[in-house]
Amino acid sequence: MRFSFSDDQTEYAAFLADLLGTVAGPGYLRAAWSAGHAYESTLWPKLAESGLFGVCVPEEEGGAGGTLVDLALCLEACGYHGVPEPVVETAVLAPHVIGEFGSEAERKKWLRAIAEGEAVASASFDPSGITPDGTRADVVVVKSGEELHLVTPDRASWQPLDGVDLSRRLARGTFAAGEATLLTADPAAAARASGLGAAATACVLVGVAQRLADMTREYVIERRQFGRALGTFQILKHRLANVAIQTEAARSLAWYACYAVAHRAADAPLAAARAKAAANRASELAGSAALQLHGGIGFTWEHDLHLWLQRGKALEGAFGSTLEHRTAVGGMVIEQLASPGAPVHGIEHAGTTR
Amino acid sequence: MDLRLSGELLSFRDEVRTWLRDNVPERPLAPVTTERGFAEHREWERRLAAAGLAAVHWPVEHGGRGLDALSASVFYDEYVRAGAPDRLGRLGLGLVGPTLMEWGTPRQRELLPAMLTCDDIWCQGFSEPDAGSDLASLRTRGEVGTDSIRINGQKVWTSHFRFATWIFALVRTDPEAPKHRGISYVLIPCDTPGVEFRPIRQMNDDAEFAELFLTDVEVPLENVVGGLGNGWKVAMSTLTHERSSNLNTAAHFHRVLRDAVALIPEARRNDSLVRYEVGRFHEEIEAYRFMTLRTLTEVSKGEKPGPQASMGKVWWSELQTRILEFALSMLASEAEVRSGGLPGATNLFKHYWMSRASHIYAGSNEIQRNIIAERVLGLPRSA
């Protein structure tokens, strides 16, 4: 039993993080923000060259035949470095869904192109039709009710939108979905795809929370008031400790969610929901502490904080809000425990831990 | 990442599971604070010891199974799931034992076997009326003679005092040395003249801990562990063990949640606020499980534990209290009834207050957050 990543997985993620540290980050993100929908990604070819998009593509289609576990740390690095490209959609959702449910023709058409970075994929899972990079995507995985569809631009119409995070290049899509676009009508398949999206986005959000926490940590060490560093004030320390605790909790759940989803564990839907809810909370706590502890400067356009703050807010709603996931998990737990035959005991042992 | 148990670990788990199924008493044992309860718990400990299950994480030469942290956690998981009795010798098995293995002389290590059978029960003499979170300001004096130490002072919050045979205490043996340097770690037999416990009556009418008065208590110098003046260092290695009590497994908190869910009135089971709360508890218990599993993996691979390793105690202690607060709110007025109320509701407040104690003991959660801020995040020390 080993709840950690292999050397290969750790080294690949470190390589990607190094790369992103040079070519992504605040400068890149600001350019993406300024250009909005007109932005041409210069990062995409570099991500493709790194092999990121092929990790979950089957080997016979030119990929590495890996699983979400192989990508967990990479996705965190993407969050940490603020990568605005649709990595979750292209590297995780499209290969899994097309690989499993696509026709032979669809598999041939898309999987190799995705692995090589020639196709940009996105995903539209929300009933609102709101989709990141909708107008730029060559192919979109659409969840419609309990069906999954594969939609190409000729069957989609897009209304470009400005999101809180302009680098996400949102668009509202309406899709001519039908027999021709249907991948599967199996509700379990749609639920699995949602789980993939939630687990992968949880990893990204952990990276966002970590970035917000690190920026704030550096700020309170440097910034001096009353003749001492802000970081010496206990109330600020405790706030950052709480952020760190929630972030590690979320990270641990995100790792397991990747494992559970990859291995189709019985508790995979629960695991993905828990991970996303916890990652949402980490991003909320980190973002709110970051904004408070930076003081006025955190509200400015000039300071980089808002780039991650708004990314966090954008992703907190994607693939399920905290409310949605916790309520669903709670419902499942109550039903499981309250089913006839479940033993009823007095609360024992509680607190008898010393 | 591979969460399957190895064949070896699977057969160990099955052995443990079978043994527990055949041996765990069907009825709960009497409270450990009573004569009968103590005798029952000691009997249980002796059965565990005879089966070689008293301290699976101890090395084989000391009567354990020599299991690494990850394998030992398999045992504790089964133990908690089986609803087995609370452990009697926790301070010996978890704190003093490992400390003596690390720092003790061969003669001091002769004390280890009696910890396994609970022939000796150990209690802790660390906190003092004026040394709580600021433990290093402790004032209990130890005058060092040629071959003995004479100890005078007062300790407090001493759990397990009632049937204790030994105390492991911190005493100041060099009042001139800097605060952390003049302290020694001393083993004191409870039957030494001058040792006196006075039970402290708690708000829930229990008396689980005591004040400990030490008046001209003389123990041989060879009862000092790790050398004179080295007690702080020795104690810190002990406290690392204390913060990772083996019975605080996710399985334990799942049991607490299960019991709380059983108190939800049927009409409220579909209430989305209730569902939200239960979903959050479940998420947080699983987060604890996987934070712990990360640490266990790191420790078993001989790596330095990651940042999450110092966060478990804050997490579980506050989580458990929130679950109990939820249970109280489900019961509303029934929660107030001490005994003879609804099944499953008896003594809920007692459990609630006990869970609150865990925010304070083993390093208060404020101290824990200081540690996280300063040692994990590297924030500057407060002025």
Side-chain angles (χ1 to χ4, degrees):
Chain A
M1 188 158 67
R2 194 169 53 92
F3 189 54
S4 61
F5 294 94
S6 69
D7 289 347
D8 281 353
Q9 288 162 340
T10 312
E11 280 161 24
Y12 179 59
F15 153 77
L16 186 74
D18 274 352
L19 173 73
L20 295 175
T22 334
V23 299
Y28 180 78
L29 208 40
R30 282 179 180 280
W33 271 66
S34 304
H37 285 277
Y39 193 67
E40 286 297 324
S41 174
T42 55
L43 185 56
W44 195 265
K46 292 169 191 156
L47 291 177
E49 198 186 332
S50 78
L52 183 68
F53 300 129
V55 170
C56 292
V57 169
E59 283 178 31
E60 62 271 22
E61 303 299 342
T67 71
L68 189 52
V69 177
D70 299 305
L71 280 182
L73 296 175
C74 299
L75 292 166
E76 186 181 328
C78 288
Y80 192 84
H81 294 284
V83 171
E85 278 70 15
V87 173
V88 166
E89 292 78 0
T90 304
V92 179
L93 275 171
H96 276 94
V97 170
I98 299 172
E100 191 175 352
F101 303 108
S103 63
E104 188 58 27
E106 283 166 332
R107 290 168 54 92
K108 285 277 166 269
K109 177 163 185 196
W110 295 115
L111 290 175
R112 189 172 295 273
I114 284 170
E116 288 170 1
E118 282 159 17
V120 176
S122 191
S124 187
F125 274 44
D126 195 83
S128 64
I130 289 175
T131 311
D133 267 303
T135 53
R136 223 166 45 126
D138 300 299
V139 61
V140 182
V141 180
V142 176
K143 180 169 168 280
S144 167
E146 289 182 326
E147 295 176 354
L148 291 176
H149 291 263
L150 196 63
V151 174
T152 41
D154 54 308
R155 288 178 169 269
S157 65
W158 296 105
Q159 174 203 356
L161 302 167
D162 286 341
V164 287
D165 176 350
L166 289 174
S167 66
R168 298 234 311 149
R169 296 176 289 266
L170 295 184
R172 194 188 299 274
T174 38
F175 311 108
E179 207 47 42
T181 58
L182 182 69
L183 285 170
T184 170
D186 176 7
R192 264 206 318 275
S194 297
L196 272 170
T201 307
C203 294
V204 177
L205 267 173
V206 167
V208 171
Q210 188 67 56
R211 181 66 172 244
L212 288 162
D214 285 358
M215 287 171 89
T216 311
R217 175 190 167 275
E218 281 161 31
Y219 185 76
V220 300
I221 289 173
E222 268 171 34
R223 171 79 173 165
R224 298 179 70 82
Q225 288 286 277
F226 305 102
R228 55 198 262 214
L230 285 187
T232 60
F233 289 96
Q234 194 177 37
I235 198 162
L236 307 190
K237 284 183 174 174
H238 284 196
R239 190 156 184 180
L240 286 177
N242 287 340
V243 169
I245 295 169
Q246 180 65 40
T247 305
E248 292 304 336
R251 178 174 280 128
S252 310
L253 286 174
W255 290 4
Y256 177 68
C258 291
Y259 178 87
V261 165
H263 290 81
R264 297 201 181 181
D267 68 344
L270 276 173
R274 294 186 301 237
K276 182 59 176 34
N280 286 347
R281 280 299 291 152
S283 167
E284 281 164 22
L285 276 188
S288 121
L291 191 57
Q292 183 69 20
L293 271 49
H294 274 79
I297 194 79
F299 282 83
T300 64
W301 179 265
E302 182 194 355
H303 198 282
D304 290 335
L305 187 69
H306 77 95
L307 300 171
W308 275 270
L309 204 53
Q310 304 200 70
R311 173 67 53 79
K313 282 285 158 266
L315 294 180
E316 282 164 30
F319 296 101
S321 65
T322 309
L323 183 76
E324 189 181 327
H325 284 307
R326 285 186 173 167
T327 311
V329 169
M332 285 189 257
V333 170
I334 290 171
E335 271 155 39
Q336 211 171 58
L337 293 178
S339 62
V344 178
H345 296 263
I347 290 181
E348 304 162 54
H349 307 301
T352 60
T353 42
R354 190 178 172 94
Chain B
M1 196 173 287
D2 183 356
L3 300 187
R4 290 167 305 178
L5 295 179
S6 66
E8 201 184 336
L9 219 42
L10 264 179
S11 55
F12 172 64
R13 187 199 66 182
D14 291 343
E15 175 204 332
V16 170
R17 191 172 280 183
T18 308
W19 191 88
L20 288 168
R21 195 189 55 216
D22 297 344
N23 287 276
V24 169
E26 277 177 32
R27 301 168 66 85
L29 305 184
V32 73
T33 45
T34 62
E35 287 283 347
R36 184 164 71 91
F38 175 75
E40 288 177 6
H41 279 82
R42 180 144 73 180
E43 175 52 32
W44 166 251
E45 290 291 340
R46 285 177 178 161
R47 274 157 80 184
L48 274 175
L53 295 172
V56 292
H57 60 291
W58 279 21
V60 176
E61 74 253 37
H62 295 306
R65 292 276 184 119
L67 299 186
D68 66 11
L70 204 50
S71 315
S73 76
V74 171
F75 170 78
Y76 286 106
D77 207 46
E78 291 299 319
Y79 191 90
V80 173
R81 276 168 203 261
D86 201 8
R87 299 298 302 273
L88 186 60
R90 254 195 317 229
L91 292 178
L93 299 175
L95 299 188
V96 195
T99 301
L100 294 186
M101 289 174 211
E102 188 177 346
W103 300 92
T105 62
R107 278 204 60 185
Q108 289 167 347
R109 291 183 186 183
E110 287 171 14
L111 293 164
L112 293 172
M115 291 180 193
L116 291 172
T117 52
C118 286
D119 283 309
D120 280 331
I121 300 293
W122 287 77
C123 67
Q124 189 181 44
F126 279 19
S127 295
E128 296 182 4
D130 289 322
S133 286
D134 182 11
L135 182 60
S137 69
L138 60 92
R139 289 198 303 232
T140 292
R141 280 284 303 275
E143 288 167 73
V144 181
T146 40
D147 50 12
S148 70
I149 299 186
R150 180 184 297 270
I151 301 165
N152 278 284
Q154 186 192 342
K155 297 288 179 181
V156 74
W157 314 130
T158 307
S159 315
H160 304 275
F161 68 94
R162 215 176 297 266
F163 303 100
T165 50
W166 283 88
I167 306 159
F168 58 109
L170 291 180
V171 302
R172 187 163 300 284
T173 44
D174 183 356
E176 308 301 322
K179 188 162 134 175
H180 293 87
R181 298 249 175 89
I183 296 171
S184 300
Y185 190 112
V186 187
L187 310 177
I188 307 170
C190 290
D191 58 4
T192 315
V195 172
E196 189 200 348
F197 292 106
R198 289 186 205 158
I200 298 170
R201 188 176 176 190
Q202 294 160 220
M203 62 170 149
N204 63 1
D205 217 23
D206 278 351
E208 292 176 331
F209 33 68
E211 295 177 290
L212 163 59
F213 294 89
L214 301 162
T215 313
D216 289 331
V217 172
E218 199 158 331
V219 297
L221 257 186
E222 66 189 30
N223 283 22
V224 172
V225 180
L228 280 171
N230 213 15
W232 186 257
K233 206 167 157 188
V234 175
M236 285 306 108
S237 69
T238 298
L239 289 180
T240 318
H241 297 294
E242 184 178 23
R243 280 168 195 157
S244 53
S245 172
N246 290 318
L247 291 182
N248 289 321
T249 64
H252 165 74
F253 300 110
H254 276 306
R255 283 174 71 97
V256 176
L257 178 59
R258 180 198 64 190
D259 295 345
V261 165
L263 298 175
I264 302 172
E266 203 161 339
R268 298 198 65 187
R269 280 187 192 153
N270 292 322
D271 183 329
S272 57
L273 265 176
V274 166
R275 293 189 161 205
Y276 178 90
E277 285 296 313
V278 171
R280 178 188 175 191
F281 297 143
H282 179 77
E283 167 193 320
E284 293 178 339
I285 295 169
E286 287 293 290
Y288 176 63
R289 176 174 156 207
F290 289 108
M291 280 196 270
T292 307
L293 200 50
R294 272 169 74 186
T295 307
L296 291 170
T297 301
E298 288 156 355
V299 170
S300 298
K301 285 164 74 182
E303 293 171 359
K304 190 170 161 280
Q308 82 290 343
S310 54
M311 298 171 178
K313 193 257 178 176
V314 170
W315 188 265
W316 68 251
S317 60
E318 295 177 5
L319 164 60
Q320 174 161 266
T321 300
R322 283 197 304 273
I323 298 175
L324 292 167
E325 278 166 352
F326 170 82
L328 289 170
S329 74
M330 286 299 115
L331 282 171
S333 283
E334 288 283 356
E336 204 183 326
V337 181
R338 209 178 267 226
S339 58
L342 287 181
T346 299
N347 271 332
L348 199 49
F349 265 110
K350 173 183 163 167
H351 295 306
Y352 172 71
W353 297 127
M354 281 160 71
S355 88
R356 285 293 284 105
S358 66
H359 299 214
I360 296 166
Y361 64 60
S364 72
N365 287 4
E366 286 72 24
I367 293 288
Q368 301 290 345
R369 287 187 164 89
N370 286 349
I371 291 173
I372 293 164
E374 289 170 13
R375 302 203 196 142
V376 176
L377 303 180
L379 294 179
R381 289 184 69 86
S382 302

